[in-house]
Amino acid sequence: MNVTNEFRLVVDSKSINESFCRMVVSAFAGPLDPTIEELTDLKTAVSEAVTNCIVHAYANTCGKIYITGQLLQDNIIKIKIKDNGLGIENIQKAMTPLFTTGSTDRAGLGFTVMQSFCDRVRVSSSVGRGTTVTLTKKINGRTKW
């Protein structure tokens, strides 16, 4: 598929940057003319992925979160969220609803939320080297009159 636009962003794994990442992705998706629901879904999925980096990948430390976005033909947006943190030992188990390696205040629904709001969620990880989450969503946009 042809890439029509793209961006790269690097932020510190601080909770204050989670909302910034949501807004960047939201602005980047603007040319696709998404509905409010589509935009909210995308922002929520990005929020979950970034939060996973902050809480799990860089637990008790600060690292970098790398986000890239691509607008593809046919109104498809692809967002990659990457860290160089702890990595995930068992991706299938980590993607199981209610599973968490975090504290008891964590619901363990991050990947489930991402999957429900995106058309495709791909996770690759290597223990001790980090994780990449790729979110893909087709934007149908507002009905044209």
Side-chain angles (χ1 to χ4, degrees):
M1 286 202 164
N2 290 340
V3 176
T4 61
N5 197 13
E6 60 187 331
F7 80 91
R8 297 184 194 294
L9 174 68
V10 180
V11 297
D12 288 335
S13 63
K14 297 179 179 180
S15 59
I16 193 166
N17 287 330
E18 179 268 330
S19 62
F20 175 70
C21 294
R22 288 170 52 106
M23 292 300 108
V24 168
V25 170
S26 176
F28 183 71
L32 300 179
D33 199 23
T35 64
I36 296 296
E37 182 178 355
E38 289 171 325
L39 200 55
T40 300
D41 289 353
L42 184 61
K43 287 170 34 177
T44 301
V46 167
S47 177
E48 292 294 335
V50 169
T51 298
N52 277 353
C53 294
I54 296 165
V55 172
H56 301 290
Y58 296 118
N60 303 316
T61 187
C62 186
K64 299 293 183 190
I65 301 172
Y66 305 87
I67 303 177
T68 59
Q70 294 180 320
L71 297 184
L72 307 172
Q73 61 189 106
D74 297 327
N75 278 16
I76 295 172
I77 186 167
K78 182 187 281 189
I79 305 295
K80 286 186 183 182
I81 297 98
K82 180 184 180 307
D83 65 68
N84 294 323
L86 298 174
I88 301 171
E89 188 172 319
N90 184 330
I91 294 172
Q92 185 175 359
K93 186 174 183 180
M95 294 181 79
T96 302
L98 305 178
F99 175 82
T100 184
T101 59
S103 61
T104 56
D105 64 335
R106 294 276 158 218
L109 293 172
F111 285 121
T112 302
V113 168
M114 288 180 235
Q115 289 173 317
S116 67
F117 290 152
C118 293
D119 297 316
R120 184 169 185 219
V121 176
R122 196 175 93 237
V123 180
S124 62
S125 189
S126 179
V127 174
R129 298 190 64 181
T131 302
T132 301
V133 174
T134 304
L135 309 170
T136 305
K137 183 170 182 65
K138 178 164 178 55
I139 302 296
N140 295 311
R142 297 183 182 103
T143 303
K144 307 291 188 239
W145 298 100

